């Protein structure tokens, strides 16, 4: 573990000023489909002044998968325009929840999006700005530029704020650390209103000059054809999508880098992708509130996570990972030395590497006894025929006690014998730690951001 010294802040301000003055690659495409970096900058200037006159300084909800609109709105916020609120989903329910949490009723969205009652659509400027219209202000905003509304696979939704230093500092680090250049072409299977999609499919092209695919392919055939036909060199996806690819080959292609985040990538899915495409997957570990913390590429011999250079880290007495990072959301509580204590338990291997042991907050009380949900999951995952598992603690009778439930998928068409699973688990677990409910399903529900959909899982368990 490294000494207790705060990491230096990235030199992001001057690079952001240059970005606000205009792109260094004006004629290079921002969207593979044709929109140039210069045209995007013009669109951002028009949007900034339109919002300045129509909205003022209040926050607005950005509810769109249109990457050009998202990038223009982000440049507008960087220049001091209205801060953005990003939903975890574009469903009416998620937008209504964001309205309640953020106290905002103005939405920047395409006409095709259905808005719940009480939200008002902001009209978009027609045709961007003319050459005579004012340029973007060139002083980057120092405060919060956006808030991300997380769906919460383990708890209630929450708003996390991000400053320009958080977002653009991390994007500039990613571009430099992984050598992303103007010649690269990026495809992402995750929407840009999720922090992972925002960083890698909006901010990364902005700061590197790379081009990004405007579409967001969702089906395996679309992903494969997009990589192949659009000459994609950087592929951004999530564990659920890598699993759906099932070793499908994108060859012949220019693919040189693949990234995965928003959950742990199964080693078998990683191996299948590498075998089919001869490209290792960079697994990024972090969260909305912390930003990226560490990464690994198993096919470069990296079985454990290596902490990213801008980040200082330590391990607490209860094995929790502690990080001091320029990417942390401002509202996160820090200790006296400037460290945020995460909910993840780790084992330190050396000064730069650690292995994940599971979440500290996944230890719950059942019948007054402690139960490690991660251990229950590992035991289920190890059983023959089991492919994917989610283990939850459900409140019991309105008290602080819980009952354990598990939902899982199988590796083949053969039905699993639930009684056999219970008997095997009983060899390793005390009776109070055994799942009271075990349900086998065809697919475990996930949200658009690639994380498990807790509400849909609970509905399946109730059924």
């Amino acid at each position: 573990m490294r000494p207790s010294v705060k990491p230096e802040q990235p030199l992001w301000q001057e690079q952001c000023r240059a970005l606000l003055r205009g792109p260094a690659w004006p004629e290079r495409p921002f969207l593979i489909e044709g929109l140039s970096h210069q045209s995007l900058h013009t669109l951002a200037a028009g949007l900034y002044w339109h919002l300045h006159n129509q909205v003022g300084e209040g926050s607005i909800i950005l509810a769109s998968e249109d990457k050009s609109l998202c990038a223009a709105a982000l440049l507008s916020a960087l220049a001091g325009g209205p801060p953005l609120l990003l939903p975890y989903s574009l469903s009416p329910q998620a937008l209504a929840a964001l309205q309640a949490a953020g106290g905002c009723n103005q939405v920047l969205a395409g006409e095709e999006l259905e808005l719940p009652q009480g939200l008002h659509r902001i009209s978009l400027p027609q045709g961007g700005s003319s050459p005579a219209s004012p340029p973007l202000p060139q002083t980057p905003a120092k405060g919060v530029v956006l808030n991300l509304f997380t769906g919460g696979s383990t708890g209630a939704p929450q708003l996390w704020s991000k400053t320009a230093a958080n977002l653009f500092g991390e994007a500039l680090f990613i571009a430099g650390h992984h050598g992303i250049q103007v010649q690269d072409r990026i495809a992402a299977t995750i929407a840009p209103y999720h922090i992972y999609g925002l960083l890698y499919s909006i901010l990364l092209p902005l700061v590197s000059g790379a081009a990004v695919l405007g579409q967001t392919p969702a089906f395996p055939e679309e992903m494969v054809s997009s990589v192949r036909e659009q000459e994609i060199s950087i592929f951004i996806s999530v564990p659920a999508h890598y699993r759906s690819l099932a070793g499908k080959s994108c060859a012949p292609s220019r693919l040189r880098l693949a990234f995965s985040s928003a959950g742990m990538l199964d080693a078998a899915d990683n191996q299948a992708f590498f075998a089919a495409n001869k490209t290792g997957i960079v697994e990024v570990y972090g969260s909305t509130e912390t930003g990226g913390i560490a990464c690994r590429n198993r096919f470069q011999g990296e079985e454990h996570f290596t902490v990213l250079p801008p980040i200082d880290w330590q391990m607490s007495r209860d094995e929790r990972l502690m990080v001091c990072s320029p990417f942390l959301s401002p509202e996160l509580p820090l200790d006296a030395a400037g460290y945020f204590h995460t909910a993840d338990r780790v084992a330190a291997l050396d000064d730069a590497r650690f292995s994940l042991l599971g979440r500290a907050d996944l230890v719950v009380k059942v019948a007054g006894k402690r139960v490690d949900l991660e251990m229950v999951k590992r035991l289920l995952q190890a059983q023959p025929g089991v492919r994917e598992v989610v283990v939850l603690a459900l409140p019991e009778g309105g008290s602080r006690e819980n009952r354990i439930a598990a939902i899982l998928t199988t590796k083949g068409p053969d039905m699993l014998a639930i009684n056999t699973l219970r008997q095997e688990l009983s060899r390793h677990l005390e009776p109070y730690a055994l799942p009271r409910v075990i349900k086998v399903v065809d697919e475990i529900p996930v949200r658009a951001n690639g994380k498990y959909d807790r509400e849909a899982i609970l509905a399946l368990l109730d059924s």
Side-chain angles (χ1 to χ4, degrees), residues 124-144:
L124 292 172
Q126 297 299 314
S129 62
S130 69
S133 61
L136 284 170
Q138 295 174 18
T139 301
K142 294 183 179 179
V144 171

Side-chain angles (χ1 to χ4, degrees), residues 147-180:
N147 290 270
L148 293 137
F149 194 44
T150 60
S153 56
T154 57
Q158 187 166 355
L159 275 172
W160 295 107
S161 62
K162 291 291 178 180
T163 65
N166 291 154
L167 293 171
F168 285 86
E170 184 166 4
L172 286 162
F173 166 75
I174 293 167
H177 189 67
H178 295 287
I180 312 299

Side-chain angles (χ1 to χ4, degrees), residues 84-431:
L84 308 173
L85 300 175
L86 272 63
Y88 62 80
S89 166
L90 298 187
S91 70
Q93 296 83 357
L95 293 175
L98 176 54
Q99 177 190 17
C104 175
N105 63 2
Q106 300 195 78
V107 183
L108 189 61
E111 292 296 329
E112 71 283 355
L113 183 66
E114 176 189 354
L115 298 182
Q117 187 175 4
L119 289 180
H120 307 292
R121 194 185 310 273
I122 299 170
S123 65
L124 292 172
Q126 297 299 314
S129 62
S130 69
S133 61
L136 284 170
Q138 295 174 18
T139 301
K142 294 183 179 179
V144 171
V145 296
L146 65 82
N147 290 270
L148 293 137
F149 194 44
T150 60
S153 56
T154 57
Q158 187 166 355
L159 275 172
W160 295 107
S161 62
K162 291 291 178 180
T163 65
N166 291 154
L167 293 171
F168 285 86
E170 184 166 4
L172 286 162
F173 166 75
I174 293 167
H177 189 67
H178 295 287
I180 312 299
Q181 301 175 345
V182 295
Q183 295 84 4
D184 279 311
R185 293 161 73 89
I186 299 170
T189 71
I190 186 167
Y193 46 78
H194 179 262
I195 182 61
Y196 176 44
L198 183 75
L199 275 169
Y200 283 79
S201 70
I202 303 295
L203 283 155
L204 188 55
L206 276 177
V207 303
S208 69
V212 63
L213 186 66
Q215 299 174 343
T216 305
F219 300 102
E221 294 75 14
E222 291 179 321
M223 298 177 203
V224 169
S225 62
S226 294
V227 170
R228 184 184 298 139
E229 296 169 11
Q230 300 297 334
E231 299 184 323
I232 298 302
S233 57
I234 312 292
F235 184 62
I236 313 299
S237 196
V238 293
H241 291 166
Y242 281 113
R243 173 160 295 173
S244 72
L245 286 171
K248 290 182 171 62
S249 174
C250 301
S253 73
R254 291 180 51 205
L255 195 63
R256 70 177 185 87
L257 269 177
F259 290 89
S260 179
S261 192
M264 297 303 294
L265 179 64
D266 187 83
D269 298 330
N270 194 334
Q271 172 66 45
F273 185 86
F274 178 79
N277 297 285
K278 301 300 182 284
T279 301
I281 300 172
V282 178
E283 298 174 64
V284 182
Y285 162 73
S287 66
T288 300
E289 61 270 30
T290 63
I293 293 175
C295 66
R296 70 178 175 189
N297 186 336
R298 292 177 186 271
F299 294 95
Q300 292 183 353
E302 300 169 1
E303 287 302 312
H304 305 287
F305 284 96
T306 299
V307 178
L308 303 176
I311 295 166
D312 183 24
W313 70 292
Q314 291 187 2
M315 192 174 70
S316 68
R317 291 181 179 178
D318 60 354
E319 298 182 323
R320 288 197 183 202
L321 176 65
M322 304 158 53
V323 294
C324 180
S325 166
F327 310 146
L328 296 177
S329 290
E331 64 269 26
L332 284 176
L334 307 180
D335 64 18
Y339 288 86
F340 169 65
H341 296 227
T342 74
D344 288 325
R345 295 180 295 118
V346 298
L349 302 172
D350 53 37
D351 285 350
R353 297 180 305 142
F354 62 79
S355 61
L356 287 169
L357 301 178
R359 290 180 64 87
D361 58 0
L362 290 182
V363 176
V364 300
K365 286 287 187 71
V366 177
K369 307 292 180 63
R370 289 162 57 89
V371 176
D372 187 342
L373 299 185
E374 188 69 24
M375 177 184 292
V376 178
K377 176 182 176 180
R378 286 198 300 269
L379 289 171
L380 276 169
Q381 192 89 58
Q383 302 309 308
V386 173
R387 180 171 181 85
E388 186 176 12
V389 179
V390 173
V391 178
L392 298 175
L394 307 180
E396 183 81 307
S399 69
R400 296 182 64 183
E401 292 295 325
N402 298 277
R403 59 190 173 95
I404 309 301
I407 188 168
L408 55 88
T409 62
T410 64
K411 293 180 179 179
D414 296 336
M415 293 294 292
L416 281 174
I418 301 299
N419 286 339
T420 302
L421 279 180
R422 292 186 189 280
Q423 290 172 5
E424 184 61 28
L425 289 178
S426 66
R427 295 175 53 213
H428 305 277
L429 298 173
E430 296 292 338

